[in-house]
Amino acid sequence: KLMTSVTKLGDAGIFWIILTLIFLIIPKMRKTGVTMAAALIVDLLLCNVLLKNLVARTRPYDVNTTVELLVAKLRDYSFPSGHTAFASVTALYLSGERRIGLIALVISCLIAVSRLYLYVHYPTDVLGGIIFGCLSGWLGYHIVKFAEGKKTVR
C-alpha cells in the first residue's frame, strides 16, 4: 500500500506540475515556478516525446508475465523513468531553494524506489530518469537565465 501510494505522486508528473503552479501563484516564488515550468517542458520534450519513443523499451512486467502487479499496467514505454521528479529537484536546487529541493529529492527517491518495487521499471530506467531529469532541470534553469539576459551557459 505504501509503495502504491508513493508511486502515485509521480503519475503523469501531476505532483510536480501542481507544485510548479503553486510557485507561479506566489509572488516571491514566481521565478522558481518559471524555472520549474521550463524544466518540466524540456523534460516533456526530451523524455516523453523523444527518448521514450526512440528507445521503446518494454516494461519488466511485459517480459516476465508471472509477476502479479499491484498497480495497473502503463501504456507507455519503460525508459526513462521518474524524470519529472528529478527535473523539478534540479530546478529547485539551482533556483536557490535548497530546503524545498532537499524535501523534493527525498520524495523523488521514494518514487524511484517505488517504481522498482512495483516492477514497472528496470534499474537502468530509473538511472536514465535521474540523468535526463537532472539534465532537463539544468537546461530549464539556463533557458530562464538566458531569457532574462543573464547568459550563464559557458
Side-chain angles (χ1 to χ4, degrees):
K1 293 241 182 217
L2 175 65
M3 289 300 185
T4 57
S5 297
V6 168
T7 209
K8 287 178 185 175
L9 291 173
D11 288 353
I14 196 68
F15 176 80
W16 307 107
I17 293 167
I18 291 170
L19 186 62
T20 299
L21 292 172
I22 290 168
F23 286 168
L24 287 169
I25 292 168
I26 301 169
K28 77 177 205 173
M29 297 297 289
R30 193 162 292 141
K31 189 173 176 182
T32 299
V34 169
T35 302
M36 287 179 67
L40 292 175
I41 291 167
V42 168
D43 186 71
L44 172 72
L45 295 173
L46 177 64
C47 295
N48 289 64
V49 174
L50 181 66
L51 286 174
K52 276 197 184 263
N53 295 310
L54 184 67
V55 175
R57 187 175 199 183
T58 305
R59 293 195 177 268
Y61 56 72
D62 287 327
V63 174
N64 181 0
T65 56
T66 62
V67 173
E68 186 178 331
L69 292 179
L70 301 175
V71 293
K73 286 189 173 189
L74 302 169
R75 287 179 255 146
D76 62 347
Y77 294 114
S78 189
F79 181 90
S81 161
H83 38 275
T84 56
F86 288 95
S88 297
V89 167
T90 303
L92 284 165
Y93 181 80
L94 293 174
S95 295
E97 299 297 335
R98 306 281 199 285
R99 202 172 313 166
I100 297 169
L102 183 60
I103 294 166
L105 177 61
V106 170
I107 293 168
S108 299
C109 290
L110 288 171
I111 292 169
V113 169
S114 76
R115 300 298 168 91
L116 294 171
Y117 179 84
L118 294 169
Y119 209 61
V120 296
H121 286 292
Y122 295 103
T124 51
D125 297 340
V126 172
L127 180 61
I130 291 168
I131 292 168
F132 288 110
C134 291
L135 176 63
S136 298
W138 183 85
L139 285 171
Y141 173 79
H142 286 288
I143 288 168
V144 170
K145 287 294 179 192
F146 184 80
E148 290 177 332
K150 299 176 183 176
K151 297 180 185 179
T152 60
V153 180
R154 297 173 203 223

